[in-house]
Amino acid sequence: VSFEGLVTRDDPALAKIEELADAKQFVEILEIDIDSLKAKVGSYKVNSLEFEYPNDDSASYSFEATLFGDVTEETLTTVPAGDQLS
């Protein structure tokens, strides 16, 4: 899988991905339907994590990861903090 986006100040998800990638540990990634609270969950090995700083106003990230094992389906009771649309 590949992800990319904008870096935001104090983003706990990016900090955790970087920490686990540096430690060569797997990252748990959830694909959540915030309306139904159904989620697809998998453990991934981060193959690359890159940050770009094209100017002083913004920064972006991209990372690629490989699934380790199977994807499972879960129904959450709440949307995790940080995944909610404002």
Side-chain angles (χ1 to χ4, degrees):
V1 297
S2 301
F3 294 93
E4 59 183 44
L6 296 176
V7 175
T8 59
R9 184 178 304 227
D10 300 325
D11 183 335
L14 278 179
K16 191 64 171 180
I17 290 168
E18 188 170 26
E19 173 190 326
L20 292 172
D22 289 347
K24 298 184 180 359
Q25 295 181 349
F26 293 106
V27 175
E28 183 178 79
I29 297 175
L30 288 78
E31 179 183 343
I32 302 169
D33 178 327
I34 61 172
D35 293 324
S36 68
L37 295 180
K38 293 187 185 287
K40 294 179 182 178
V41 183
S43 291
Y44 293 81
K45 175 185 170 276
V46 176
N47 301 319
S48 66
L49 175 61
E50 298 177 5
F51 295 92
E52 291 186 18
Y53 304 92
N55 56 50
D56 291 337
D57 294 339
S58 65
S60 62
Y61 70 89
S62 63
F63 74 91
E64 292 189 13
T66 302
L67 178 64
F68 181 79
D70 296 323
V71 172
T72 60
E73 293 190 14
E74 299 179 11
T75 300
L76 306 177
T77 56
T78 60
V79 176
D83 292 337
Q84 299 173 1
L85 297 176
S86 301

Coordinates of all heavy atoms in Angstrom, one line a residue:
V1 N 0.8 -1.2 0.0 CA 0.0 0.0 0.0 C 0.9 1.2 0.0 O 2.0 1.2 0.5 CB -1.0 0.0 1.2 CG1 -2.0 -1.1 1.2 CG2 -0.3 0.1 2.5
S2 N 0.3 2.3 -0.5 CA 1.0 3.6 -0.5 C 0.1 4.7 0.1 O -1.1 4.7 -0.2 CB 1.4 4.0 -1.9 OG 2.2 3.1 -2.6
F3 N 0.7 5.6 0.9 CA 0.0 6.7 1.4 C 0.8 7.9 1.2 O 2.0 7.9 1.2 CB -0.2 6.5 3.0 CG -1.1 5.3 3.3 CD1 -0.6 4.1 3.6 CD2 -2.5 5.5 3.4 CE1 -1.4 3.0 4.0 CE2 -3.3 4.5 3.8 CZ -2.7 3.2 4.1
E4 N 0.1 9.1 1.1 CA 0.7 10.3 1.1 C -0.2 11.4 1.6 O -1.4 11.2 1.6 CB 1.2 10.7 -0.3 CG 0.1 10.8 -1.4 CD 0.7 11.1 -2.7 OE1 1.7 10.5 -3.1 OE2 0.1 12.0 -3.4
G5 N 0.3 12.5 2.1 CA -0.5 13.5 2.7 C 0.3 14.7 3.2 O 1.5 14.7 3.0
L6 N -0.4 15.6 3.8 CA 0.3 16.8 4.4 C 0.7 16.5 5.8 O -0.1 15.9 6.6 CB -0.6 18.0 4.3 CG -1.0 18.4 2.9 CD1 -1.9 19.6 2.9 CD2 0.3 18.8 2.1
V7 N 1.8 16.9 6.2 CA 2.3 16.8 7.6 C 1.6 17.9 8.4 O 1.6 19.1 8.0 CB 3.8 17.0 7.7 CG1 4.3 17.0 9.1 CG2 4.5 15.9 6.9
T8 N 1.0 17.5 9.5 CA 0.5 18.5 10.4 C 1.2 18.5 11.7 O 1.9 17.5 12.1 CB -1.0 18.3 10.7 OG1 -1.1 17.0 11.3 CG2 -1.8 18.3 9.4
R9 N 1.2 19.6 12.4 CA 1.9 19.7 13.7 C 1.4 18.7 14.7 O 0.2 18.5 14.8 CB 1.7 21.2 14.2 CG 2.5 21.4 15.5 CD 2.3 22.8 15.9 NE 2.7 23.7 14.8 CZ 3.4 24.8 14.8 NH1 3.9 25.2 16.0 NH2 3.7 25.5 13.8
D10 N 2.4 18.1 15.3 CA 2.0 17.1 16.4 C 1.1 16.0 16.0 O 0.2 15.6 16.7 CB 1.4 17.8 17.6 CG 2.4 18.9 18.2 OD1 3.6 18.6 18.2 OD2 1.9 19.9 18.6
D11 N 1.3 15.5 14.8 CA 0.5 14.4 14.3 C 0.9 13.1 14.9 O 2.0 12.6 14.6 CB 0.6 14.2 12.7 CG -0.3 13.2 12.1 OD1 -0.6 12.2 12.8 OD2 -0.6 13.3 10.9
P12 N 0.1 12.5 15.8 CA 0.6 11.3 16.6 C 0.7 10.1 15.7 O 1.6 9.2 15.9 CB -0.5 11.1 17.6 CG -1.7 11.8 17.1 CD -1.2 12.9 16.2
A13 N -0.1 10.0 14.6 CA 0.0 8.8 13.7 C 1.4 8.8 13.0 O 2.0 7.8 12.9 CB -1.1 8.8 12.7
L14 N 1.8 9.9 12.4 CA 3.1 10.0 11.7 C 4.2 9.7 12.6 O 5.2 9.0 12.3 CB 3.3 11.3 11.0 CG 2.6 11.5 9.7 CD1 2.9 12.8 9.1 CD2 3.1 10.4 8.7
A15 N 4.2 10.3 13.8 CA 5.2 10.0 14.8 C 5.3 8.5 15.2 O 6.4 8.0 15.3 CB 5.0 10.9 16.1
K16 N 4.2 7.9 15.3 CA 4.2 6.4 15.7 C 4.7 5.6 14.5 O 5.4 4.7 14.7 CB 2.8 6.0 16.1 CG 2.7 4.6 16.7 CD 3.5 4.6 18.0 CE 3.3 3.3 18.7 NZ 4.0 3.3 20.0
I17 N 4.3 6.0 13.3 CA 4.8 5.2 12.1 C 6.3 5.3 12.0 O 7.0 4.3 11.8 CB 4.1 5.7 10.8 CG1 2.6 5.3 10.8 CG2 4.8 5.2 9.5 CD1 1.8 6.0 9.7
E18 N 6.8 6.5 12.2 CA 8.2 6.7 12.1 C 8.9 6.0 13.2 O 10.0 5.3 13.0 CB 8.6 8.2 12.2 CG 10.0 8.6 12.0 CD 10.3 10.0 11.8 OE1 9.5 10.9 12.4 OE2 11.2 10.4 11.2
E19 N 8.4 6.0 14.4 CA 9.0 5.3 15.5 C 9.0 3.8 15.3 O 10.1 3.1 15.4 CB 8.2 5.5 16.8 CG 8.6 4.7 18.0 CD 7.6 4.8 19.1 OE1 7.0 5.9 19.3 OE2 7.4 3.8 19.8
L20 N 7.9 3.2 14.8 CA 7.9 1.8 14.5 C 8.7 1.4 13.3 O 9.4 0.3 13.3 CB 6.4 1.3 14.3 CG 5.5 1.4 15.6 CD1 4.1 1.1 15.2 CD2 6.0 0.4 16.6
A21 N 8.8 2.2 12.3 CA 9.6 1.9 11.1 C 11.1 1.9 11.5 O 11.8 1.0 11.1 CB 9.4 2.9 10.0
D22 N 11.5 2.9 12.4 CA 12.9 2.9 12.8 C 13.2 1.7 13.7 O 14.4 1.2 13.6 CB 13.1 4.2 13.6 CG 13.1 5.5 12.8 OD1 13.2 5.4 11.5 OD2 13.1 6.6 13.4
A23 N 12.3 1.2 14.4 CA 12.5 0.0 15.3 C 12.3 -1.3 14.5 O 12.4 -2.4 15.1 CB 11.6 0.1 16.5
K24 N 12.0 -1.2 13.2 CA 11.7 -2.4 12.4 C 10.6 -3.2 12.9 O 10.6 -4.4 13.0 CB 13.0 -3.2 12.2 CG 14.0 -2.4 11.4 CD 15.2 -3.2 11.1 CE 16.4 -2.6 10.4 NZ 16.3 -1.2 10.0
Q25 N 9.5 -2.5 13.4 CA 8.3 -3.2 13.9 C 7.2 -3.0 13.0 O 7.2 -2.0 12.2 CB 8.0 -2.7 15.3 CG 9.0 -3.0 16.4 CD 8.6 -2.5 17.7 OE1 7.7 -1.7 17.9 NE2 9.4 -2.9 18.7
F26 N 6.2 -3.8 13.1 CA 5.0 -3.7 12.2 C 4.1 -2.5 12.6 O 4.0 -2.2 13.8 CB 4.2 -5.0 12.1 CG 5.0 -6.1 11.5 CD1 5.5 -7.1 12.2 CD2 5.2 -6.1 10.1 CE1 6.3 -8.1 11.6 CE2 5.9 -7.1 9.5 CZ 6.4 -8.1 10.2
V27 N 3.4 -1.9 11.7 CA 2.5 -0.8 11.9 C 1.1 -1.4 11.7 O 0.8 -2.0 10.7 CB 2.7 0.3 11.0 CG1 1.7 1.4 11.1 CG2 4.1 0.9 11.2
E28 N 0.2 -1.2 12.6 CA -1.2 -1.6 12.4 C -2.0 -0.4 11.7 O -2.0 0.7 12.2 CB -1.9 -1.9 13.7 CG -3.3 -2.4 13.5 CD -4.0 -2.8 14.8 OE1 -4.4 -1.9 15.5 OE2 -4.1 -4.0 15.1
I29 N -2.5 -0.7 10.5 CA -3.3 0.3 9.8 C -4.7 -0.1 9.7 O -5.0 -1.3 9.4 CB -2.7 0.4 8.4 CG1 -1.2 0.9 8.5 CG2 -3.5 1.4 7.5 CD1 -0.5 1.0 7.2
L30 N -5.6 0.8 10.0 CA -7.0 0.6 9.9 C -7.6 1.4 8.8 O -7.3 2.6 8.7 CB -7.7 1.0 11.2 CG -7.5 0.1 12.4 CD1 -6.2 0.4 13.1 CD2 -8.6 0.4 13.4
E31 N -8.4 0.8 7.9 CA -9.2 1.5 7.0 C -10.6 1.6 7.5 O -11.3 0.5 7.6 CB -9.2 0.8 5.6 CG -10.0 1.5 4.6 CD -10.1 0.7 3.3 OE1 -9.2 -0.1 3.0 OE2 -11.0 1.0 2.5
I32 N -11.1 2.8 7.9 CA -12.3 2.9 8.7 C -13.4 3.6 7.9 O -13.2 4.6 7.3 CB -12.1 3.7 10.0 CG1 -11.0 3.1 10.8 CG2 -13.4 3.9 10.8 CD1 -10.6 3.9 12.0
D33 N -14.6 3.0 7.8 CA -15.8 3.6 7.3 C -16.4 4.3 8.5 O -17.0 3.7 9.4 CB -16.8 2.6 6.7 CG -18.0 3.2 6.2 OD1 -18.5 4.2 6.8 OD2 -18.6 2.7 5.2
I34 N -16.3 5.7 8.6 CA -16.7 6.4 9.8 C -18.2 6.4 10.0 O -18.7 6.7 11.0 CB -16.1 7.8 9.9 CG1 -16.5 8.6 8.7 CG2 -14.6 7.7 10.0 CD1 -16.1 10.1 8.9
D35 N -19.0 6.1 8.9 CA -20.4 6.0 9.0 C -20.9 4.7 9.7 O -21.7 4.8 10.6 CB -21.1 6.2 7.7 CG -20.8 7.6 7.1 OD1 -20.8 8.6 7.9 OD2 -20.7 7.7 5.9
S36 N -20.3 3.6 9.3 CA -20.7 2.3 9.8 C -19.8 1.8 10.9 O -20.2 0.8 11.6 CB -20.7 1.3 8.7 OG -19.4 1.0 8.3
L37 N -18.7 2.4 11.1 CA -17.7 2.0 12.1 C -17.1 0.6 11.8 O -16.4 0.0 12.6 CB -18.2 2.0 13.5 CG -18.6 3.4 14.1 CD1 -19.1 3.3 15.5 CD2 -17.4 4.4 14.0
K38 N -17.2 0.2 10.6 CA -16.6 -1.1 10.1 C -15.1 -0.7 9.7 O -14.9 0.3 9.1 CB -17.3 -1.7 9.0 CG -18.7 -2.2 9.4 CD -19.3 -3.0 8.3 CE -20.7 -3.4 8.7 NZ -20.8 -4.5 9.7
A39 N -14.2 -1.6 10.1 CA -12.8 -1.3 9.8 C -12.1 -2.6 9.2 O -12.4 -3.7 9.6 CB -12.1 -0.9 11.0
K40 N -11.2 -2.3 8.3 CA -10.3 -3.4 7.8 C -9.0 -3.1 8.5 O -8.5 -2.0 8.4 CB -10.2 -3.3 6.3 CG -11.5 -3.7 5.5 CD -11.3 -3.6 4.1 CE -12.6 -3.9 3.3 NZ -12.4 -3.7 1.9
V41 N -8.4 -4.1 9.1 CA -7.2 -4.0 9.9 C -6.1 -4.9 9.4 O -6.4 -6.1 9.2 CB -7.6 -4.3 11.4 CG1 -6.3 -4.0 12.3 CG2 -8.7 -3.4 11.9
G42 N -4.9 -4.4 9.3 CA -3.8 -5.2 8.9 C -2.5 -4.7 9.5 O -2.4 -3.6 9.9
S43 N -1.6 -5.6 9.6 CA -0.2 -5.3 10.1 C 0.7 -5.1 8.9 O 0.7 -6.0 8.0 CB 0.4 -6.4 11.0 OG -0.4 -6.4 12.2
Y44 N 1.5 -4.1 8.8 CA 2.3 -3.7 7.7 C 3.7 -3.5 8.1 O 4.0 -2.9 9.1 CB 1.7 -2.5 7.0 CG 0.4 -2.7 6.3 CD1 -0.8 -2.7 7.1 CD2 0.2 -3.0 5.0 CE1 -2.1 -2.9 6.5 CE2 -1.0 -3.2 4.4 CZ -2.1 -3.2 5.2 OH -3.4 -3.4 4.6
K45 N 4.6 -3.9 7.2 CA 6.0 -3.5 7.3 C 6.2 -2.3 6.4 O 5.9 -2.3 5.3 CB 6.9 -4.6 6.8 CG 8.4 -4.3 6.7 CD 9.1 -5.5 6.1 CE 10.6 -5.1 5.8 NZ 10.8 -4.3 4.6
V46 N 6.7 -1.2 7.1 CA 7.0 0.0 6.3 C 8.3 -0.1 5.5 O 9.3 -0.4 6.1 CB 7.1 1.2 7.3 CG1 7.5 2.5 6.5 CG2 5.8 1.4 8.0
N47 N 8.2 0.0 4.2 CA 9.3 -0.1 3.3 C 10.0 1.2 3.1 O 11.3 1.2 2.9 CB 8.9 -0.7 2.0 CG 8.2 -2.1 2.1 OD1 8.7 -2.9 2.8 ND2 7.1 -2.2 1.4
S48 N 9.3 2.3 3.1 CA 9.9 3.6 2.9 C 9.0 4.6 3.6 O 7.8 4.5 3.6 CB 10.1 3.9 1.4 OG 8.9 4.1 0.8
L49 N 9.7 5.6 4.1 CA 9.0 6.8 4.7 C 9.8 8.0 4.3 O 10.9 8.1 4.7 CB 8.9 6.6 6.2 CG 8.3 7.8 7.0 CD1 6.8 8.0 6.6 CD2 8.3 7.5 8.5
E50 N 9.1 8.9 3.6 CA 9.8 10.1 3.1 C 9.1 11.3 3.5 O 7.8 11.4 3.5 CB 10.0 10.0 1.6 CG 10.9 8.8 1.2 CD 11.0 8.7 -0.3 OE1 10.5 9.6 -1.0 OE2 11.6 7.7 -0.8
F51 N 9.8 12.4 3.8 CA 9.2 13.7 4.0 C 9.8 14.7 3.0 O 11.0 14.6 2.7 CB 9.5 14.2 5.5 CG 8.9 13.3 6.5 CD1 9.6 12.2 7.1 CD2 7.6 13.6 7.0 CE1 9.0 11.4 8.0 CE2 7.1 12.8 8.0 CZ 7.7 11.7 8.5
E52 N 8.9 15.6 2.6 CA 9.4 16.7 1.7 C 9.0 18.0 2.3 O 7.9 18.2 2.8 CB 8.8 16.5 0.3 CG 9.3 15.3 -0.5 CD 8.8 15.2 -1.9 OE1 8.3 16.3 -2.4 OE2 8.8 14.1 -2.5
Y53 N 9.9 19.0 2.2 CA 9.7 20.3 2.7 C 9.9 21.3 1.5 O 11.0 22.0 1.5 CB 10.7 20.6 3.8 CG 10.5 19.5 4.9 CD1 11.4 18.4 5.0 CD2 9.6 19.7 6.0 CE1 11.2 17.5 6.0 CE2 9.5 18.8 7.0 CZ 10.3 17.6 7.0 OH 10.2 16.7 8.0
P54 N 8.9 21.4 0.6 CA 9.2 22.3 -0.6 C 9.2 23.8 -0.2 O 9.9 24.5 -1.0 CB 7.9 22.0 -1.4 CG 6.9 21.5 -0.5 CD 7.6 20.8 0.6
N55 N 8.6 24.2 0.8 CA 8.7 25.6 1.2 C 8.4 25.7 2.7 O 8.2 24.7 3.4 CB 7.8 26.5 0.4 CG 6.3 26.0 0.5 OD1 5.8 25.8 1.6 ND2 5.7 25.8 -0.6
D56 N 8.5 26.9 3.2 CA 8.3 27.1 4.7 C 6.9 26.9 5.1 O 6.6 26.7 6.3 CB 8.7 28.5 5.1 CG 10.2 28.7 4.9 OD1 10.9 27.7 5.0 OD2 10.7 29.9 4.8
D57 N 5.9 26.9 4.2 CA 4.5 26.8 4.6 C 3.9 25.4 4.7 O 2.9 25.2 5.3 CB 3.6 27.6 3.6 CG 3.9 29.1 3.7 OD1 4.5 29.6 4.7 OD2 3.6 29.8 2.7
S58 N 4.6 24.5 4.1 CA 4.0 23.1 4.1 C 5.1 22.0 4.0 O 6.2 22.3 3.6 CB 3.0 23.0 2.9 OG 3.7 23.0 1.7
A59 N 4.6 20.9 4.4 CA 5.5 19.7 4.3 C 4.6 18.5 3.9 O 3.4 18.5 4.3 CB 6.2 19.4 5.6
S60 N 5.1 17.5 3.2 CA 4.3 16.4 2.9 C 5.1 15.1 3.2 O 6.3 15.1 3.5 CB 4.0 16.4 1.4 OG 5.1 16.3 0.6
Y61 N 4.3 14.0 3.3 CA 4.9 12.7 3.6 C 4.4 11.7 2.6 O 3.4 11.9 2.0 CB 4.6 12.2 5.0 CG 3.2 11.8 5.2 CD1 2.8 10.5 5.0 CD2 2.2 12.8 5.6 CE1 1.4 10.2 5.1 CE2 0.9 12.4 5.7 CZ 0.5 11.1 5.5 OH -0.8 10.8 5.6
S62 N 5.2 10.6 2.4 CA 4.7 9.5 1.7 C 5.4 8.3 2.3 O 6.5 8.3 2.8 CB 5.0 9.6 0.2 OG 6.4 9.6 0.0
F63 N 4.6 7.2 2.3 CA 5.2 5.9 2.7 C 4.6 4.7 2.0 O 3.5 4.8 1.5 CB 5.2 5.7 4.2 CG 3.9 5.4 4.9 CD1 3.5 4.1 5.1 CD2 3.1 6.4 5.3 CE1 2.3 3.7 5.7 CE2 1.9 6.1 6.0 CZ 1.5 4.7 6.1
E64 N 5.4 3.7 1.8 CA 4.9 2.5 1.2 C 5.1 1.4 2.3 O 6.1 1.4 3.0 CB 5.7 2.2 0.0 CG 5.5 3.1 -1.1 CD 6.1 2.7 -2.5 OE1 6.5 1.6 -2.6 OE2 6.1 3.6 -3.4
A65 N 4.2 0.4 2.3 CA 4.2 -0.6 3.2 C 3.7 -1.9 2.6 O 2.9 -1.9 1.6 CB 3.3 -0.3 4.5
T66 N 4.1 -3.0 3.1 CA 3.8 -4.4 2.7 C 3.0 -5.1 3.8 O 3.4 -5.1 4.9 CB 5.0 -5.2 2.3 OG1 5.8 -4.5 1.3 CG2 4.6 -6.6 1.8
L67 N 1.8 -5.6 3.4 CA 1.0 -6.4 4.3 C 1.7 -7.6 4.8 O 2.3 -8.3 4.1 CB -0.3 -6.8 3.6 CG -1.3 -7.6 4.4 CD1 -1.8 -6.8 5.6 CD2 -2.5 -8.1 3.6
F68 N 1.6 -7.8 6.1 CA 2.2 -9.0 6.8 C 1.0 -9.8 7.4 O 0.4 -9.3 8.3 CB 3.2 -8.6 7.8 CG 3.8 -9.8 8.5 CD1 4.8 -10.5 7.9 CD2 3.4 -10.2 9.8 CE1 5.4 -11.6 8.6 CE2 3.9 -11.3 10.4 CZ 5.0 -11.9 9.8
G69 N 0.7 -10.9 6.8 CA -0.5 -11.7 7.3 C -1.7 -11.3 6.6 O -1.7 -10.9 5.4
D70 N -2.9 -11.4 7.3 CA -4.2 -11.2 6.7 C -4.8 -9.9 7.1 O -4.5 -9.4 8.2 CB -5.1 -12.4 7.0 CG -4.7 -13.7 6.5 OD1 -4.1 -13.7 5.3 OD2 -4.8 -14.7 7.1
V71 N -5.7 -9.4 6.4 CA -6.5 -8.3 6.8 C -7.8 -8.9 7.4 O -8.4 -9.8 7.0 CB -6.9 -7.4 5.5 CG1 -8.0 -6.4 5.9 CG2 -5.7 -6.8 4.9
T72 N -8.1 -8.3 8.6 CA -9.3 -8.7 9.3 C -10.3 -7.6 9.3 O -10.0 -6.4 9.0 CB -9.0 -9.1 10.8 OG1 -8.4 -8.0 11.4 CG2 -8.0 -10.2 10.8
E73 N -11.6 -7.9 9.5 CA -12.6 -6.9 9.6 C -13.1 -6.9 11.0 O -13.3 -7.9 11.7 CB -13.7 -7.3 8.6 CG -13.3 -7.2 7.2 CD -14.5 -7.3 6.2 OE1 -15.6 -7.1 6.6 OE2 -14.2 -7.4 5.0
E74 N -13.3 -5.6 11.5 CA -13.8 -5.4 12.8 C -14.9 -4.3 12.8 O -14.9 -3.5 11.8 CB -12.7 -4.9 13.7 CG -11.5 -5.8 13.9 CD -10.4 -5.2 14.8 OE1 -10.6 -4.2 15.4 OE2 -9.3 -5.8 14.8
T75 N -15.7 -4.3 13.8 CA -16.7 -3.2 14.0 C -16.2 -2.4 15.2 O -16.2 -3.0 16.3 CB -18.1 -3.7 14.1 OG1 -18.4 -4.4 12.9 CG2 -19.1 -2.5 14.3
L76 N -15.9 -1.2 15.1 CA -15.4 -0.3 16.2 C -16.6 0.2 16.9 O -17.7 0.3 16.4 CB -14.6 0.8 15.6 CG -13.4 0.4 14.7 CD1 -12.7 1.7 14.2 CD2 -12.4 -0.4 15.4
T77 N -16.4 0.6 18.2 CA -17.4 1.2 19.0 C -17.4 2.7 18.8 O -18.4 3.4 19.0 CB -17.3 0.8 20.5 OG1 -16.0 1.2 20.9 CG2 -17.6 -0.7 20.6
T78 N -16.2 3.3 18.5 CA -16.1 4.7 18.3 C -15.0 4.9 17.2 O -14.2 4.0 17.0 CB -15.6 5.5 19.6 OG1 -14.4 5.0 20.0 CG2 -16.6 5.4 20.7
V79 N -15.0 6.1 16.6 CA -14.0 6.4 15.7 C -12.8 6.9 16.5 O -12.9 7.8 17.4 CB -14.4 7.5 14.7 CG1 -13.3 8.0 13.8 CG2 -15.6 7.1 13.9
P80 N -11.6 6.3 16.3 CA -10.4 6.8 17.1 C -10.1 8.2 16.9 O -10.4 8.8 15.8 CB -9.3 5.9 16.5 CG -10.0 4.7 15.8 CD -11.3 5.3 15.4
A81 N -9.6 8.9 17.9 CA -9.2 10.3 17.9 C -8.2 10.5 16.7 O -7.4 9.6 16.5 CB -8.6 10.7 19.2
G82 N -8.4 11.5 16.0 CA -7.6 11.8 14.8 C -8.1 11.3 13.5 O -7.7 11.8 12.5
D83 N -9.1 10.4 13.6 CA -9.7 9.9 12.4 C -11.1 10.6 12.1 O -11.7 10.3 11.1 CB -9.9 8.4 12.5 CG -8.6 7.7 12.4 OD1 -7.6 8.2 11.9 OD2 -8.6 6.5 12.9
Q84 N -11.5 11.4 13.0 CA -12.8 12.0 12.8 C -12.7 13.2 11.9 O -11.7 14.0 12.0 CB -13.3 12.5 14.2 CG -13.5 11.3 15.1 CD -13.9 11.7 16.5 OE1 -14.0 12.9 16.8 NE2 -14.0 10.7 17.4
L85 N -13.7 13.4 11.1 CA -13.8 14.6 10.2 C -14.3 15.7 11.1 O -15.3 15.6 11.8 CB -14.7 14.3 9.0 CG -14.2 13.2 8.1 CD1 -15.3 13.0 7.0 CD2 -12.9 13.6 7.5
S86 N -13.7 16.9 10.9 CA -14.2 18.1 11.7 C -15.2 18.8 10.9 O -15.2 18.9 9.7 CB -13.0 19.0 12.0 OG -12.0 18.3 12.7

